[in-house]
Amino acid sequence: MTKRPGQLRDGFGSLVARAARQWRRSVDRRLQPFGLTEATWLPLIHIARAPAPMRQKDLAASLVLDGSSVVRLLDALETAGLIERREESGDRRAKIITVTGRGLAVIEQVEAASREVRAATLVGLSDQDLEGATRVLELVCRNLAAEQDREA
């Protein structure tokens, strides 16, 4: 059944949210044997992929979380031996976050699981399909960011 343009627009946000939840659940299921969940692996990936050592406030911004949530999250990751926080330039308030050797091993597991999910999820999609979908989602993200900036 073909949907009218209004129906497509009405259901688009729900579809994006559902796809994101299903994708995360699939990765979480593959990482369950290692005791990892999105709350554990997502910050590690952000920290490891950053071009320079991250500060707590930068991580909070990249995860779209408030600072207090990130502090609790980092406390748990540090207790698990996955990250270290160090003072930056002698300023006790400014801390940079680095991934430990154990954290790097966890990241390898996460990336392997992510590759498996990606391969299974993108079956049947051409590069052209992915280019179009990427273009659409990037525009949606830019529009949402602009709206949030206007509200701030």
Side-chain angles (χ1 to χ4, degrees):
M1 177 172 96
T2 304
K3 293 184 179 185
R4 296 186 335 264
Q7 289 175 311
L8 289 171
R9 288 182 183 276
D10 289 347
F12 186 78
S14 295
L15 181 60
V16 169
R18 189 175 88 207
R21 279 191 309 274
Q22 287 178 307
W23 194 299
R24 280 192 307 268
R25 253 187 256 134
S26 186
V27 173
D28 279 351
R29 267 195 310 276
R30 281 182 171 76
L31 292 171
Q32 202 170 27
F34 305 106
L36 302 172
T37 65
E38 182 183 26
T40 309
W41 60 258
L42 189 59
L44 282 175
I45 293 293
H46 279 255
I47 296 164
R49 291 182 180 167
M54 290 188 99
R55 287 187 223 107
Q56 291 179 190
K57 68 177 185 171
D58 299 327
L59 180 61
S62 74
L63 295 171
V64 193
L65 292 173
D66 63 271
S68 61
S69 296
V70 170
V71 169
R72 287 190 303 275
L73 177 64
L74 292 176
D75 287 345
L77 292 173
E78 195 167 34
T79 299
L82 303 176
I83 63 150
E84 291 177 348
R85 289 182 275 194
R86 297 188 188 129
E87 290 180 13
E88 183 180 33
S89 308
D91 183 352
R92 289 183 20 199
R93 295 168 299 159
K95 299 201 181 206
I96 58 169
I97 309 159
T98 58
V99 178
T100 64
R102 183 173 179 195
L104 290 172
V106 167
I107 288 168
E108 286 180 29
Q109 294 167 340
V110 169
E111 289 179 338
S114 294
R115 282 190 299 275
E116 291 171 11
V117 170
R118 187 171 43 249
T121 302
L122 301 180
V123 166
L125 294 173
S126 68
D127 288 345
Q128 188 175 8
D129 292 335
L130 291 172
E131 286 172 11
T134 299
R135 217 175 16 261
V136 167
L137 291 173
E138 285 174 345
L139 179 57
V140 166
C141 288
R142 282 194 304 272
N143 290 344
L144 288 168
E147 180 182 335
Q148 290 167 0
D149 289 345
R150 283 191 300 273
E151 292 174 357

